[in-house]
Amino acid sequence: MSLTGLIGSGSGQINLAGQYNLQRQTGNLTLKGDGFQAIDTEVSVRISPDLNVRIDEEAIRLGGSVTIPYARISPPKQQMQSVVRASEDVVFTVDEDEGLTQRNLPLLTDLSVILGDSVEVDAFGFKGRLLGRLRITDDAQTTTRASGSIQVESGDYKLFGQDLNISRGSLVYTGGPIDNPGLDLRVSRFVGTVEAGARITGTIRSPEMTLFSVPAMSDSSIMSYLVLGRGPGESSASEQSMMMQAAMALTLQGGNSITSQLQQGLNLDEFGFASDDAGDSAFFIGKYLTPRLYIRYGISLLESMEMLTLSYRLSSMWRVETQSSNLGSGADIFYTRER
C-alpha cells in the first residue's frame, strides 16, 4: 500500500510519502517540509522536517532531522492557576482491546534538532537569540539522551529590575540525560568603570555559581553592584545585610542544600544564617546537649559581636534562657501556653 499526503500550516507545508505492507505490518514513511507553522500561540514555531519513520518486526524507528528556522517564545498570557482541573472523582480508563495491532513495538529515536538564525526568546527575564544543534537518542529502555549544545548568541537577563549582559551562555549536552545539561554561563553588568558578574557552571540539577569583578572586590560588594546597581558605600545597612546573605548563599554553591548537608554531617540541630527586623545578619550554630538543654552560638556578619545562648526547658510551659555577649549578659524566663 502506498501512502502520500500533504499537510499545510501557515505559509509552509509537509509532504508525506511511504509504503506499508498490511500482511507483514512493516513499512516506511518520509516527512519533508519547509516553514511549517507547528505552533502559533504566544509561542510561534516554524519547522522544516526531514524525517524517516521505519516500521519492522522489532521496532518503530524514527530518524532524520528537524530544523527550526523561526521561533518567537514569550510567556503565556493565561496563568496556570486559571486552568480548570478535573475533579478527583473523574476516572480515566483505557480499553486495551482497541488498536490497529496487538504488537507493542518500542519507539527508537535518533533525531537531530537544529536551531536556525531566527530563534528568539523573551520570557522570564531573559531576552535573546539562541543557536545550536542537538542529537537526541532514545532506545526505549533508558532515559532520553542528547549530545550537542545550545548557545545564547546574544541576549540580556533582567534581575531585580537590573539588565545583565550575557557574554557567554551555553547548555552543553555530552550524551547524558536530556533533562540535565551542563551549564557554561557568564553574566555581568557595568556600573561606571566597575564590571560585576557571575559565572555559572555545573549542571541544571547541580549548578555552581562564582562571582567576579574588575577590579576585584568582596562578594557582598559584587552583589551590591549586580542587584542594586551601586556600590556598598551607597547602600543602606539593610541592603548591605541582604547582599551579604545573598553572597554567602551563592558562595555555598547551592545554598540551602549544602547547608543542610553540613548540618547533618556535623550532627547539629541548627546551622545557617538569620537576620532581625533591623537588618542585622548573623551566622548561627546550635545543638541540643540533652532533651532539655539547648546551646546556640552566633556571630554577627556586619559587626564585631558574638553571642552565646543557653536555653533550659523546665517543663512543657516554662523555659529559662540566658544570653552572653561582648556587649553584656542577661537572662529571661518564658511561659508558653497553647490554646
Side-chain angles (χ1 to χ4, degrees), residues 46-111:
R46 301 172 192 166
I47 62 173
S48 298
D50 186 1
L51 300 174
N52 178 267
V53 181
R54 183 163 59 92
I55 304 174
D56 56 32
E57 293 82 1
E58 299 178 350
I60 301 173
R61 307 175 193 273
L62 172 64
S65 65
V66 175
T67 300
I68 304 176
Y70 174 94
R72 295 293 184 269
I73 302 173
S74 58
K77 297 178 181 179
Q78 183 177 9
Q79 301 299 317
M80 291 298 294
Q81 289 82 352
S82 62
V83 176
V84 177
R85 301 183 183 274
S87 168
E88 295 181 355
D89 297 328
V90 177
V91 178
F92 295 93
T93 61
V94 177
D95 189 347
E96 297 181 353
D97 294 334
E98 293 186 359
L100 297 177
T101 176
Q102 296 298 321
R103 298 187 303 170
N104 293 318
L105 297 178
L107 175 62
L108 308 182
T109 303
D110 189 349
L111 183 67

Side-chain angles (χ1 to χ4, degrees), residues 6 16 36 42 98 111 164 185 197 223 232 263 276 280 283-284 303 309 324 333:
L6 177 66
L16 297 85
F36 181 84
E42 288 87 356
E98 293 186 359
L111 183 67
L164 305 181
L185 307 174
M223 287 298 298
Q263 179 177 335
D276 57 22
D280 296 325
F283 170 74
F284 288 98
E303 300 177 1
T309 302
S324 177
I333 298 177

Side-chain angles (χ1 to χ4, degrees), residues 8-316:
S9 179
S11 59
Q13 62 183 28
I14 295 178
N15 294 285
L16 297 85
Q19 295 180 340
Y20 189 75
N21 188 310
L22 292 174
Q23 183 177 0
R24 296 183 178 179
Q25 296 186 352
T26 61
N28 63 80
L29 178 69
T30 60
L31 299 90
K32 295 185 178 181
D34 183 36
F36 181 84
Q37 189 77 47
I39 305 175
D40 190 15
T41 56
E42 288 87 356
V43 176
S44 178
V45 178
R46 301 172 192 166
I47 62 173
S48 298
D50 186 1
L51 300 174
N52 178 267
V53 181
R54 183 163 59 92
I55 304 174
D56 56 32
E57 293 82 1
E58 299 178 350
I60 301 173
R61 307 175 193 273
L62 172 64
S65 65
V66 175
T67 300
I68 304 176
Y70 174 94
R72 295 293 184 269
I73 302 173
S74 58
K77 297 178 181 179
Q78 183 177 9
Q79 301 299 317
M80 291 298 294
Q81 289 82 352
S82 62
V83 176
V84 177
R85 301 183 183 274
S87 168
E88 295 181 355
D89 297 328
V90 177
V91 178
F92 295 93
T93 61
V94 177
D95 189 347
E96 297 181 353
D97 294 334
E98 293 186 359
L100 297 177
T101 176
Q102 296 298 321
R103 298 187 303 170
N104 293 318
L105 297 178
L107 175 62
L108 308 182
T109 303
D110 189 349
L111 183 67
S112 294
V113 177
I114 305 165
L115 302 185
D117 295 330
S118 188
V119 177
E120 298 181 4
V121 178
D122 186 1
F124 310 110
F126 170 76
K127 184 176 183 179
R129 184 165 66 91
L130 304 180
L131 283 175
R133 183 186 185 111
L134 295 180
R135 180 187 178 188
I136 301 172
T137 58
D138 193 333
D139 60 6
Q141 295 181 352
T142 60
T143 184
T144 303
R145 299 181 175 275
S147 58
S149 64
I150 296 176
Q151 302 91 30
V152 178
E153 182 66 14
S154 62
D156 297 287
Y157 186 77
K158 185 176 289 292
L159 178 67
F160 294 109
Q162 308 296 331
D163 290 320
L164 305 181
N165 175 255
I166 302 175
S167 55
R168 184 177 70 246
S170 298
L171 297 179
V172 182
Y173 297 83
T174 58
I178 193 172
D179 59 351
N180 191 36
L183 301 174
D184 182 16
L185 307 174
R186 186 181 189 273
V187 297
S188 64
R189 67 172 306 185
F190 285 89
V191 181
T193 59
V194 174
E195 181 187 14
R199 298 183 184 92
I200 305 172
T201 56
T203 66
I204 286 288
R205 296 178 185 172
S206 301
E208 300 177 2
M209 177 180 287
T210 56
L211 302 175
F212 72 90
S213 67
V214 180
M217 60 186 69
S218 67
D219 285 350
S220 59
S221 298
I222 296 174
M223 287 298 298
S224 181
Y225 278 105
L226 271 177
V227 178
L228 302 177
R230 54 182 180 270
E234 307 170 41
S235 307
S236 66
S238 60
E239 288 175 333
Q240 292 184 45
S241 175
M242 180 179 66
M243 293 305 100
M244 179 74 75
Q245 292 184 73
M248 287 190 170
L250 292 175
T251 303
L252 284 174
Q253 298 181 352
N256 294 335
S257 62
I258 300 298
T259 300
S260 178
Q261 294 175 22
L262 288 173
Q263 179 177 335
Q264 295 176 9
L266 297 174
N267 196 25
L268 298 172
D269 297 299
E270 183 179 14
F271 182 96
F273 303 92
S275 60
D276 57 22
D277 295 336
D280 296 325
S281 300
F283 170 74
F284 288 98
I285 59 174
K287 181 175 177 57
Y288 278 98
L289 301 180
T290 71
R292 291 177 177 268
L293 179 61
Y294 184 77
I295 183 171
R296 188 186 200 218
Y297 172 76
I299 181 171
S300 175
L301 301 179
L302 301 178
E303 300 177 1
S304 179
M305 188 177 72
E306 303 174 14
M307 178 178 292
L308 180 66
T309 302
L310 292 174
S311 178
Y312 185 77
R313 182 166 55 85
L314 300 172
S315 67
S316 60

